[in-house]
Amino acid sequence: MRTVRKPAGSAGTGRTGNPGAVVPRDADPAATARTGTAPEGRARTGPGPSDPAKAAGSTARPDRTGPEGAAPGRAKPTAARPAPAGSVPARHGPRPRRKKRGQWVPPQHGAWAMLLLPYLAGLLTAGYAWPDLPLLVAWIAGYLLSYFALLAVKTRRPARYRDQLLAYGLTALAAGAVVLAARPQLVFYAPVFALALGVNGFFASRHDDRALVNGLVSAAAATLILPVVVSVAGGSPWEAGGTFTVVLLYLAGTVLFVKSCIRERGNRAMYSASAAFHAIALAVAAWIAPVHAVVFGWYLLRAVALPRRRMTPFRLGLVEIAGSLLILLSVALAA
C-alpha cells in the first residue's frame, strides 16, 4: 500500500495540522479528522479523545513534566536544607581588605636583637644615667624611621610611607633633642651614623639591601650605640673598646652565619668564610678577655655544624636569642 505526505492543515493531520503525519492513501479522511488518529498500525499524531482540551483544537503543548514537577529522565529536585543552628553563613562578596603586615612595625625580628644588644652591653659596661631612657626612645624611633625611609627609596614611593616617616621622625627628633640638650658632645657621632645610613640607602636604591656588605655595615652601625651609651654615662668611649669589639664580632659573625644557613645555604665559599671568621673572632675575643673564649667557642661550633643541617628561620631565631644572652653574660662577667 503506497502512502503520501499531506500538506500542513489538511484533513489527514486533524485540526492540529501536524505536517509530519503520514496517512495511507485509502484512509477515510472523515474518520481521521474526527478521531485525530491514523488507522491501526500507525502512531497517533493528534490529540486523543482522552484529552478534551486538545481534542477541542487547543494548540498548547502537552505537559511533559513528571510527578511533582520533575522532568522525565532528570533527578527530582530537592529542597535546600536549612543551615544548622549556630553556623556562619557563607560570604557573598569581596572579603574585607586586611592591613598589610609590617605597615608600622618592620617584620625583621633579628633587627631588634641587633638594636638592643649593644645598648644593653653599654649599660653593663658604663652604668645607667637618666639620658639613657630618651636615648633608647630616639634609638628605636631612629631605626623605624630609617627602615621606612630606605623602603621609600627602594620603592620610589615616599608618599606611601608618609605617615610612618612623620610619626617616627618627630619622635626621634623630640627624644634626640632631649639627649643632645643633656649631652651636647654626642653630636660628634652624627657623621658616622649618617655615613652608615648613606651606604644602606645606596644598596636600597639598587634593590640589593640583602648584600653581604650592607649587612656588615648595618651591624657596625648598630654597635655604634654602645660608645654612645658610655658617653651618656660620662665615660670615655675608648674605655669600652674591648666590649665594642666583642659585640661587633658577634653581630658580624651572625650576619655570615645566618646567610650560610638560609640564603647562601650550600654555598661553599660563604660557609668557609663564616667558619674562618668565627675562628679569628675566637682568637681575638679570648685575647681581650679569657671569659669570652667559652662563648665564642660556641659561636665557632654553630658556624661549622648548623649550616650542614636544614635549619628553619624559627630555629635560627632561637639559636640567636641564646647567643645574644650568652654575649651579654660574657660582657657582664668581663666588666
Side-chain angles (χ1 to χ4, degrees):
M1 177 176 58
R2 191 171 55 146
T3 61
V4 295
R5 186 178 301 274
K6 295 292 184 177
S10 63
T13 61
R15 295 185 180 181
T16 61
N18 188 348
V22 180
V23 297
R25 178 184 293 272
D26 54 353
D28 185 3
T32 303
R34 183 175 60 254
T35 62
T37 59
E40 185 178 357
R42 295 291 179 180
R44 186 172 62 201
T45 59
S50 60
D51 193 346
K54 293 182 180 180
S58 173
T59 58
R61 296 182 62 183
D63 185 10
R64 297 181 178 271
T65 58
E68 299 183 7
R74 298 182 182 177
K76 179 181 176 181
T78 56
R81 296 181 179 179
S87 63
V88 179
R91 295 180 179 269
H92 299 284
R95 294 182 177 180
R97 188 177 182 180
R98 297 181 179 179
K99 293 184 178 180
K100 293 183 179 180
R101 185 181 180 184
Q103 187 175 4
W104 283 92
V105 179
Q108 297 179 348
H109 307 295
W112 296 105
M114 189 176 291
L115 284 173
L116 297 178
L117 174 61
Y119 177 85
L120 296 176
L123 292 180
L124 292 175
T125 302
Y128 172 78
W130 74 264
D132 285 324
L133 184 57
L135 176 64
L136 178 61
V137 175
W139 178 237
I140 295 178
Y143 159 68
L144 297 173
L145 173 63
S146 65
Y147 173 83
F148 287 103
L150 294 175
L151 200 58
V153 171
K154 182 178 180 180
T155 60
R156 293 178 174 84
R157 295 180 178 179
R160 176 182 295 181
Y161 308 103
R162 181 179 60 252
D163 296 340
Q164 293 89 335
L165 295 176
L166 288 176
Y168 294 134
L170 293 176
T171 303
L173 182 62
V178 175
V179 177
L180 287 177
R183 303 289 189 271
Q185 67 272 20
L186 297 182
V187 72
F188 293 106
Y189 290 97
V192 185
F193 283 103
L195 177 61
L197 185 61
V199 175
N200 295 149
F202 170 75
F203 282 98
S205 64
R206 299 179 57 185
H207 297 267
D208 195 19
D209 48 321
R210 300 288 184 176
L212 176 60
V213 175
N214 191 50
L216 294 175
V217 170
S218 299
T223 313
L224 280 175
I225 194 63
L226 195 155
V228 175
V229 173
V230 175
S231 298
V232 167
S236 172
W238 303 108
E239 297 175 358
T243 305
F244 175 86
T245 302
V246 294
V247 172
L248 177 60
L249 289 175
Y250 166 69
L251 293 179
T254 299
V255 173
L256 295 170
F257 166 67
V258 172
K259 281 189 175 295
S260 66
C261 290
I262 299 181
R263 293 186 176 274
E264 300 293 337
R265 186 175 182 272
N267 187 334
R268 297 294 302 176
M270 180 62 66
Y271 174 79
S272 300
S274 176
F277 179 87
H278 281 87
I280 297 174
L282 171 59
V284 174
W287 177 76
I288 294 174
V291 68
H292 297 319
V294 178
V295 177
F296 277 84
W298 156 247
Y299 296 154
L300 175 60
L301 178 62
R302 62 152 196 190
V304 173
L306 294 186
R308 299 179 179 180
R309 303 171 60 90
R310 187 174 296 275
M311 299 289 293
T312 63
F314 175 75
R315 293 181 178 179
L316 282 177
L318 295 179
V319 171
E320 291 312 303
I321 289 176
S324 299
L325 295 177
L326 287 175
I327 192 65
L328 285 178
L329 178 61
S330 180
V331 168
L333 294 176

